[in-house]
Amino acid sequence: MKLPFFFSHKQSSPLIINNLLTPSWVLGWGKIDQTKENISGHDPNLIIYHTQPTISTNQKIIIVGDICLTNLPQLQKKLDISPTTNPNQTVAELWQNCGLETFLLLEGIFALAIWDKEKRELWIGRDRAGGRTLYYTVKNSTIWIAPRLKNLSPYHSKELDLIALRDYLSCAFVPGERTLWQGVKELRPGKFIHFTDKFETHPQLTYWQPQTQVKNANKPIEYHSQKLRLLLDKIIPEYLPKNQPVGAYLSGGLDSSCITALIAKNHNHPVHTYSIHFGEKLPNELEFSNLVAQHCQTQHHILEITPDDMWNNLPITIANLDDPIGDPLTVPNYLLGKLAAEKVEVILNGEGGDPCFGGPKNKPMLLNSIYGFLQEEQQDIVSSYLSSFQKCFGDLSKLLKPDIWEFVQKQPYVFESDLNSDADYLNRLMLLNIKFKGADHILTKVNNMTRANNLIGLSPLFDQRIVELSLEIPPKYKLSGADEKAVLKQAVADLLPETILTRPKSGMMIPVNFWFRKIWQRRTKNLLLSKKAAIAPYINQDLIKDWLNYQGDTWRRYGIKLWLLVSLEIWLQVNRK
């Protein structure tokens, strides 16, 4: 299989972007075999593959990374350097002058490594929201670091982290610093690590984390919506390309519609919008996306995705992810990116609206907190949260092999401390969605699928300034009863048709349950029930057989669970080669 992993940088990028679309570098720090080929920037204990590092003017600081900064002009002015200086060089000069404070000064998305030649110290850091990823592992007294999990394949075993496997089956993504590979960690958003010449792993340290700090709670919703609108009007132009068309994913929901409207308001070049459906006989939201496209006068494109499109493009989609993501939207994201790449180089999306402003997926947990005491067997808060994903959490004792279940069942979940904090209940859920679902599912999925198509994908509602402001807004203005995202609706009310502001959100429903039952059943049996299946050592295949025969599928959830398992199987096949 030939996979489009790496692409060249496009000079007409919206923000000044360097090496953002080709994050193939690998850095080794420790006892290095210097006989390797394709090496750049090496010193006795440091080796950098597949990229040319950037060196500061005093020759002491070496930088490698994927860096896209919204405050690049301000940093260049602070350093009194040319406005044409690229982001990596700017960061090298900034670290030369400011050291560790550099992480606090950077605004945007980045995953980078800094080597201080004089002090013989290595630092790695990641942006606040998790717009880019960074992974690391240790092999033979050498720490290996890369922005893509696949790049570390030569340096770790092929043994699975069983706790990460449990978490994937529960959530459809791997949350926190674990990855599915044993011994490979992910640097968390807003964190950094300082490595010394002892060549040992060190704990992740925090330079930023989202915190609930409600302000002006006595002010009316109009006050908060005006603040939000002012910030949106400032941020959106920063994300738009200069002198070229731009794209936007448009589902017809509030989040994608408001981003589309703000783009149309601030961009003087063609705006292309993109929507999907799964056939005329199946439910869709084209009525609403068409309405917004017409209202904003965009060039609208609609892609029909067939069951064969979904199945046949799953391997290439999975290959372009890091950890697996068992969300059926991964393939539509990939296919829509492929279509968008024919017209634009930059595409924006509305991801971030739900976690930041109280989307409807918080409702099940809120209802459980209110009415859970009426149930005879009330779930604890962690179990309730995991059940709300509606994946395989409730099936784990039967789905996992007995010895694996015995090992993982007593291991804590990464969500526990946040769920048991003293913050307002809705804000607790929002913080979890920003920290984990945002970084480990949403941003990773969208970014990798756009990057696979040589697109620059940007998520303005996950901008750190939007995240910080959202956590200052009183919860009552986010989700109150049936009214969701009230403050966001009011902020953009003048830009959108009333129908979009008042319609209930239904979400993008992909008919995987119908397709598994009517079209994919035989293919899935061949894939998942084989004795040679990659999941066979971990998963009870008899239970999968029951799911494929739709025995007891009262809530029609088997399709989602089967998609999650098919995604895992393909991920294991692709990544164990």
Side-chain angles (χ1 to χ4, degrees):
M1 184 190 305
K2 188 175 181 180
L3 303 176
F5 279 118
F6 310 121
F7 299 90
S8 62
H9 168 54
K10 294 184 174 181
Q11 297 296 329
S12 51
S13 51
L15 312 172
I16 302 175
I17 297 174
N18 180 47
N19 200 29
L20 189 59
L21 297 176
T22 57
S24 59
W25 56 269
V26 178
L27 184 149
W29 164 234
K31 298 179 180 179
I32 302 296
D33 180 0
Q34 294 287 346
T35 63
K36 299 285 186 181
E37 298 180 357
N38 197 15
I39 296 169
S40 57
H42 60 86
D43 115 332
N45 298 113
L46 181 80
I47 202 163
I48 301 168
Y49 293 95
H50 311 308
T51 193
Q52 188 65 37
T54 301
I55 304 175
S56 64
T57 52
N58 68 1
Q59 303 294 304
K60 295 179 180 179
I61 306 300
I62 293 177
I63 297 283
V64 290
D66 316 309
I67 304 170
C68 172
L69 302 176
T70 55
N71 68 333
L72 184 62
Q74 292 91 329
L75 294 177
Q76 292 164 338
K77 185 175 181 180
K78 174 183 175 71
L79 294 166
D80 194 23
I81 58 178
S82 168
T84 62
T85 307
N86 69 43
N88 284 36
Q89 191 67 54
T90 300
V91 173
E93 303 308 319
L94 194 62
W95 191 275
Q96 176 181 307
N97 286 272
C98 303
L100 184 58
E101 186 188 357
T102 297
F103 289 128
L104 296 172
L105 297 173
L106 300 181
E107 294 181 3
I109 53 177
F110 58 85
L112 72 162
I114 305 107
W115 164 242
D116 188 318
K117 293 172 62 178
E118 187 174 72
K119 297 180 180 178
R120 300 193 58 73
E121 295 176 336
L122 177 69
W123 305 76
I124 61 174
R126 187 179 175 194
D127 67 82
R128 293 162 175 83
R132 289 294 176 262
T133 49
L134 204 56
Y135 301 93
Y136 61 97
T137 190
V138 179
K139 181 180 181 181
N140 299 332
S141 300
T142 301
I143 300 159
W144 295 98
I145 300 159
R148 296 301 303 270
L149 192 56
K150 195 175 186 69
N151 296 140
L152 293 179
S153 183
Y155 311 112
H156 64 76
S157 77
K158 299 300 182 180
E159 296 297 319
L160 292 193
D161 183 315
L162 297 179
I163 297 174
L165 175 63
R166 176 205 65 181
D167 293 352
Y168 168 78
L169 294 171
S170 300
C171 308
F173 62 94
V174 180
E177 65 179 47
R178 293 182 184 274
T179 71
L180 260 189
W181 294 127
Q182 199 174 108
V184 183
K185 300 297 183 185
E186 176 189 294
L187 182 64
R188 301 303 298 150
K191 292 187 180 290
F192 67 91
I193 300 178
H194 176 207
F195 299 105
T196 65
D197 58 6
K198 293 183 179 179
F199 311 133
E200 299 171 349
T201 56
H202 293 266
Q204 299 188 18
L205 302 175
T206 301
Y207 72 87
W208 182 90
Q209 62 181 349
Q211 295 183 23
T212 301
Q213 295 179 328
V214 175
K215 298 179 180 179
N216 299 298
N218 60 332
K219 298 278 190 181
I221 189 172
E222 290 79 11
Y223 169 84
H224 296 282
S225 64
Q226 288 170 9
K227 282 190 69 176
L228 176 57
R229 176 57 178 273
L230 287 172
L231 186 56
L232 286 168
D233 282 335
K234 178 180 186 297
I235 285 174
I236 295 299
E238 297 175 358
Y239 282 78
L240 299 176
K242 308 298 182 185
N243 303 317
Q244 63 170 295
V246 68
Y249 292 137
L250 178 59
S251 69
L254 175 66
D255 306 334
S256 63
S257 297
C258 85
I259 292 298
T260 298
L262 287 162
I263 292 171
K265 175 177 177 285
N266 288 282
H267 202 54
N268 295 323
H269 294 270
V271 178
H272 294 266
T273 47
Y274 297 87
S275 300
I276 59 172
H277 71 101
F278 302 100
E280 294 179 357
K281 296 181 180 180
L282 294 169
N284 62 67
E285 297 190 311
L286 294 182
E287 170 192 354
F288 303 107
S289 60
N290 288 339
L291 175 63
V292 175
Q294 184 177 9
H295 181 79
C296 297
Q297 298 184 317
T298 70
Q299 298 181 31
H300 196 44
H301 310 266
I302 299 172
L303 176 66
E304 179 180 348
I305 298 176
T306 68
D308 280 346
D309 292 333
M310 286 285 291
W311 187 270
N312 294 336
N313 283 281
L314 184 56
I316 187 67
T317 299
I318 292 295
N320 276 288
L321 294 172
D322 292 306
D323 273 321
I325 294 175
D327 176 359
L329 274 172
T330 51
V331 175
N333 282 150
Y334 172 76
L335 293 174
L336 209 53
K338 191 174 183 180
L339 176 64
E342 297 175 5
K343 299 289 185 181
V344 300
E345 297 179 356
V346 179
I347 192 157
L348 277 61
N349 61 69
E351 301 287 3
D354 280 354
C356 288
F357 298 105
K361 292 183 180 178
N362 293 298
K363 287 183 179 179
M365 282 291 289
L366 291 172
L367 290 172
N368 183 77
S369 72
I370 298 170
Y371 300 112
F373 68 92
L374 297 176
Q375 303 173 14
E376 291 184 5
E377 296 182 5
Q378 181 184 359
Q379 288 184 308
D380 65 86
I381 191 172
V382 177
S383 297
S384 179
Y385 180 70
L386 291 164
S387 297
S388 73
F389 284 98
Q390 298 184 323
K391 299 302 187 292
C392 298
F393 172 69
D395 307 298
L396 290 176
S397 62
K398 297 177 291 183
L399 182 60
L400 290 169
K401 291 290 182 70
D403 56 331
I404 295 176
W405 171 241
E406 183 179 1
F407 171 71
V408 302
Q409 66 173 319
K410 296 180 182 179
Q411 301 297 324
Y413 281 87
V414 71
F415 311 116
E416 293 187 9
S417 62
D418 289 287
L419 282 170
N420 290 297
S421 75
D422 296 327
D424 173 88
Y425 195 61
L426 176 59
N427 279 340
R428 271 186 267 171
L429 299 180
M430 290 175 55
L431 280 170
L432 276 170
N433 288 337
I434 292 167
K435 289 171 64 175
F436 297 107
K437 189 169 184 180
D440 300 320
H441 176 185
I442 298 171
L443 286 172
T444 299
K445 175 190 67 177
V446 173
N447 290 338
N448 284 8
M449 293 305 97
T450 50
R451 189 159 47 192
N453 287 294
N454 204 14
L455 277 172
I456 298 169
L458 300 171
S459 306
L461 294 181
F462 268 118
D463 186 286
Q464 69 188 66
R465 294 162 288 181
I466 296 289
V467 172
E468 289 170 340
L469 179 61
S470 75
L471 294 171
E472 295 177 4
I473 298 171
K476 63 183 178 182
Y477 297 142
K478 300 170 186 173
L479 183 60
S480 178
D483 190 16
E484 60 205 35
K485 294 186 270 194
V487 68
L488 180 59
K489 289 177 181 177
Q490 188 152 322
V492 296
D494 62 312
L495 298 176
L496 293 171
E498 182 70 16
T499 302
I500 301 300
L501 297 169
T502 56
R503 64 170 291 232
K505 177 169 180 176
S506 60
M508 184 62 65
M509 302 302 293
I510 302 179
V512 290
N513 202 57
F514 175 76
W515 287 341
F516 272 111
R517 194 164 194 163
K518 299 295 184 180
I519 301 172
W520 296 340
Q521 192 176 51
R522 183 184 296 273
R523 307 177 203 182
T524 308
K525 285 180 178 179
N526 292 337
L527 184 69
L528 297 184
L529 300 183
S530 166
K531 292 181 180 179
K532 296 182 179 180
I535 63 170
Y538 314 99
I539 301 295
N540 174 13
Q541 291 171 301
D542 288 336
L543 183 60
I544 299 176
K545 190 182 300 182
D546 290 343
W547 288 356
L548 281 165
N549 292 327
Y550 282 81
Q551 295 180 11
D553 188 20
T554 306
W555 303 107
R556 299 185 179 181
R557 300 298 305 175
Y558 284 0
I560 293 295
K561 297 175 182 181
L562 289 168
W563 181 269
L564 185 149
L565 291 170
V566 167
S567 298
L568 176 62
E569 173 66 24
I570 292 175
W571 185 89
L572 289 169
Q573 290 185 17
V574 167
N575 285 280
R576 279 184 164 166
K577 291 179 179 179

